[in-house]
Amino acid sequence: MIRCNPQLECPTNLLLALLSGPWTMPIVWSLFEEGPARFGALKRRITGISSRLLTERLRMLEAQGFVDRHEEKTIPPQVTYSATERLRRLCQALEALGAVADEWHANYLLQHT
Amino acid sequence: MIRCNPQLECPTNLLLALLSGPWTMPIVWSLFEEGPARFGALKRRITGISSRLLTERLRMLEAQGFVDRHEEKTIPPQVTYSATERLRRLCQALEALGAVADEWHANYLLQHT
């Protein structure tokens, strides 16, 4: 869709597919906008998400380089999740895309009402 | 997908759907990167596109505020197509998103080969 070689899988389409799973973007936006959080606090930020799904999504986002998991060697250990530089650049790009889309959509609605 | 109210249509998803039609993005990138062009020149830039489809896409992109159509009152009239500010901001956002996707994808391939 972006500027991909039609023969090859387009990285941007693959990334958008990865991020389009349920609850993924609310987690991404929460870490981007509200900053680092421990598991419980993050769960409270995202009303309705189950612990199982939040665990799953955090593991995936960490494996894909979008979330940093920091463990303090306290007893019990304290784990904090935060946005990586890659997540910040992703959200900045999506915000810019969203701004264009919002402006286009507002005009579109004007033309069609 | 971005930060939309699930109950409402997400402008960014709508915009991406609008732009995902065949040949649309090659036209968008050509005007963004190679600058204004008349119909014939634009057709030559985009190998394989039919005149009918190029006409259709240009009309749609103009109606949606992404392409400017300028007509010189010469005989015969000369029409030049160019990128609007909205198209430039769209491409800049997509480039930023593409850069994140390329970096993520390169890492992903490393992890899985």
Side-chain angles (χ1 to χ4, degrees):
Chain A
M1 207 279 308
I2 304 297
R3 204 174 353 179
C4 301
N5 176 333
Q7 275 62 44
L8 299 175
E9 271 291 355
C10 171
T12 301
N13 288 348
L14 292 172
L15 179 57
L16 293 179
L18 180 86
L19 297 173
S20 60
W23 298 103
T24 304
M25 284 312 290
I27 297 168
V28 164
W29 284 117
S30 173
L31 290 172
F32 174 66
E33 291 184 321
E34 299 173 275
R38 295 181 54 198
F39 187 89
L42 193 51
K43 189 170 183 301
R44 282 189 296 277
R45 288 184 190 172
I46 305 167
T47 320
I49 193 167
S50 70
S51 295
R52 183 188 60 79
L53 200 68
L54 180 55
T55 303
E56 218 178 89
R57 289 290 184 269
L58 286 171
R59 221 174 260 151
M60 179 276 284
L61 287 166
E62 186 190 354
Q64 302 298 332
F66 290 103
V67 165
D68 180 60
R69 180 182 185 279
H70 176 72
E71 186 171 321
E72 286 287 335
K73 302 295 181 212
T74 49
I75 300 173
Q78 291 191 342
V79 174
T80 304
Y81 297 94
S82 57
T84 60
E85 181 49 28
R86 181 180 294 171
L87 185 145
R88 272 188 287 278
R89 280 188 292 116
L90 168 71
C91 289
Q92 285 156 1
L94 291 176
E95 276 188 327
L97 184 59
V100 174
D102 288 344
E103 180 205 294
W104 160 73
H105 194 239
N107 268 278
Y108 181 87
L109 293 180
L110 278 178
Q111 286 174 356
H112 293 78
T113 41
Chain B
M1 206 275 316
I2 304 297
R3 202 175 0 184
C4 299
N5 177 333
Q7 274 63 46
L8 300 175
E9 273 290 357
C10 171
T12 300
N13 288 348
L14 291 171
L15 179 57
L16 293 179
L18 180 86
L19 297 173
S20 60
W23 298 103
T24 303
M25 284 313 290
I27 297 168
V28 165
W29 284 116
S30 173
L31 290 173
F32 174 65
E33 291 182 321
E34 299 173 275
R38 294 180 54 199
F39 188 88
L42 193 51
K43 188 170 185 303
R44 282 189 297 276
R45 289 184 189 171
I46 305 167
T47 320
I49 193 169
S50 70
S51 295
R52 183 187 60 79
L53 200 67
L54 181 55
T55 303
E56 219 178 88
R57 288 291 183 271
L58 285 171
R59 222 173 260 152
M60 179 276 284
L61 288 167
E62 186 191 354
Q64 302 299 330
F66 291 102
V67 165
D68 180 58
R69 181 183 185 278
H70 176 71
E71 186 172 319
E72 285 288 333
K73 302 295 181 211
T74 50
I75 300 173
Q78 292 191 340
V79 175
T80 304
Y81 298 94
S82 57
T84 60
E85 181 50 28
R86 182 181 293 170
L87 185 144
R88 272 188 287 280
R89 281 188 292 117
L90 168 70
C91 288
Q92 285 156 1
L94 291 175
E95 278 187 327
L97 184 59
V100 175
D102 289 343
E103 181 206 294
W104 159 74
H105 194 239
N107 270 277
Y108 182 87
L109 292 179
L110 280 177
Q111 286 174 357
H112 294 78
T113 42

